[in-house]
Amino acid sequence: MPSSRTVAASLLFGVVHAAVLLLVAIDLGYSVGPGEYSLVGTAWRYGGLVVVAALPAWLALRYTLVTPLCALVVTSGYVLAVELLPPGPTFRDVAELERLSEPTEIMVVENGLYVVRYMLDAAVWTVGFLFLGAVEYVVRTTWSRLPSIPRPARWASVPASRRRATIIAAVGGLLHAGAMVRFAVRLGVTASGGFESLLFAFGVVGMWLLAAVPLYLLVRHRLVAPASLLAAFVLLDARSGFVAGVDSPHVLYFGGWFVFLTIVLIAAGVELALRRLAVFDHVSLSG
C-alpha cells in the first residue's frame, strides 16, 4: 500500500475511533462537545483521540506490527465496556453527598468519565503504544523464527549505530517526558514547602532518562527486557488515570522514577547475563 494511502487509512481509522468514543460520551451526558472547549482545546482533545488510534493503525499497515493495535483494541474496548455496561455512570449533586439542604448544581460522576479521562490522557497511551511497537519491531528484526518486517525502515535498522541510537533514545525520552509531565499537571501533582518547581525539574529529567536508557539499549544492543518493562510501566500508569486523583500511582512514577530506572537496569543486566550464558541459544538471531 502506498505511503499516502497508508497515512490516509490510518487517519480515517483514528477519526472513526474518536467519533465513536465522543458520541458515546455525549450520549451519556458528558460535557465534551465542541462548544465546551476553546478551538485549541478542542483540537488537542479530539486530535488526541484520533492520533492514539491512527498511530497503531499506521504501524500495523506500514510495518505489520500487531501489538500496538491489539493494545488499542483492548484499551478502547475496556473504556466502552465500563461506560456502557451496568452499573454505568451515575450523576449526583454535591448537595446529596454533603447532605446539604439545597442543590448546588455541581455534579459528581460515579462509575464513569472513562472516555473523558482516556481523551485527556491520550498522549500517554500513544507513547505506550509507540514503545510497544518499538519492542515488537526489534524482536521481529532480530529473531529469525518470528515473521520478519516486510519493509523495514532504513533509518531504524537494528542494531543501530551509536549516533542513531542516541537520537532515537533522545527523541523517545522527550516524548515520554512531555506526556508524563502533562499527566502530572492534569492530576494536580504538587509538592509542599515550595518545592514544586524542583519536583517538576527532577521529574522531567527522570522521565527523560527512564525512557531514553531502555530505548538506547533496545536499538543499540537489542536488549528487549528494559524497553518491554518501560512500555508496561507507561500503560499501567496510564490505566491508573481512569480512576485516580492527586493520590494516583503516577505520583510515585513521576517522583520516584529512579526506582523504576533501577528495575530497568537490573532487567538489562539479567538479560545480558543470560545471553552470555547462552541461555537463548535456541533462539536464532538474524543480523
Side-chain angles (χ1 to χ4, degrees):
M1 181 180 289
S3 178
S4 59
R5 291 181 61 188
T6 302
V7 173
S10 303
L11 287 175
L12 178 60
F13 181 78
V15 170
V16 172
H17 171 267
V20 170
L21 288 171
L22 288 170
L23 287 173
V24 168
I26 292 172
D27 184 65
L28 291 173
Y30 299 148
S31 300
V32 295
E36 301 295 332
Y37 312 112
S38 66
L39 182 61
V40 175
T42 301
W44 173 261
R45 289 168 173 81
Y46 288 16
L49 283 178
V50 172
V51 173
V52 75
L55 175 66
W58 181 78
L59 292 174
L61 292 172
R62 175 63 179 83
Y63 299 111
T64 68
L65 301 177
V66 297
T67 51
L69 190 59
C70 289
L72 169 72
V73 170
V74 170
T75 302
S76 298
Y78 171 77
V79 170
L80 289 173
V82 174
E83 293 282 24
L84 297 176
L85 296 178
T90 302
F91 296 82
R92 301 176 65 183
D93 194 295
V94 169
E96 181 182 352
L97 301 176
E98 299 294 334
R99 297 182 179 179
L100 302 178
S101 57
E102 297 187 8
T104 63
E105 297 185 358
I106 301 174
M107 305 304 295
V108 175
V109 183
E110 298 178 347
N111 302 315
L113 292 177
Y114 284 78
V115 174
V116 177
R117 288 166 179 156
Y118 187 33
M119 177 173 64
L120 293 175
D121 301 331
V124 183
W125 288 102
T126 303
V127 169
F129 297 155
L130 179 62
F131 291 166
L132 272 182
V135 172
E136 183 184 347
Y137 184 93
V138 171
V139 168
R140 287 177 55 187
T141 55
T142 300
W143 294 4
S144 59
R145 293 187 181 180
L146 294 177
S148 60
I149 303 296
R151 292 177 296 134
R154 185 173 302 177
W155 60 269
S157 59
V158 179
S161 66
R162 183 176 289 107
R163 179 176 180 274
R164 192 164 67 247
T166 300
I167 293 174
I168 292 173
V171 172
L174 288 174
L175 291 174
H176 180 257
M180 290 305 176
V181 168
R182 191 181 184 284
F183 192 19
V185 171
R186 183 184 81 76
L187 292 175
V189 175
T190 58
S192 58
F195 292 104
E196 185 172 347
S197 297
L198 183 61
L199 170 65
F200 271 84
F202 181 71
V204 168
V205 173
M207 293 297 95
W208 184 84
L209 280 173
L210 185 54
V213 171
L215 291 176
Y216 183 87
L217 294 174
L218 177 69
V219 299
R220 175 63 178 163
H221 301 289
R222 296 183 293 183
L223 293 176
V224 175
S228 299
L229 282 173
L230 170 66
F233 291 155
V234 173
L235 294 176
L236 288 173
D237 191 36
R239 184 183 181 279
S240 72
F242 283 139
V243 294
V246 293
D247 57 345
S248 164
H250 184 63
V251 177
L252 173 61
Y253 187 78
F254 188 73
W257 55 264
F258 48 88
V259 175
F260 298 91
L261 182 59
T262 300
I263 296 173
V264 163
L265 293 175
I266 291 174
V270 170
E271 182 177 351
L272 185 60
L274 292 176
R275 286 190 180 185
R276 293 287 176 84
L277 294 172
V279 172
F280 295 140
D281 274 355
H282 65 285
V283 178
S284 300
L285 297 179
S286 61

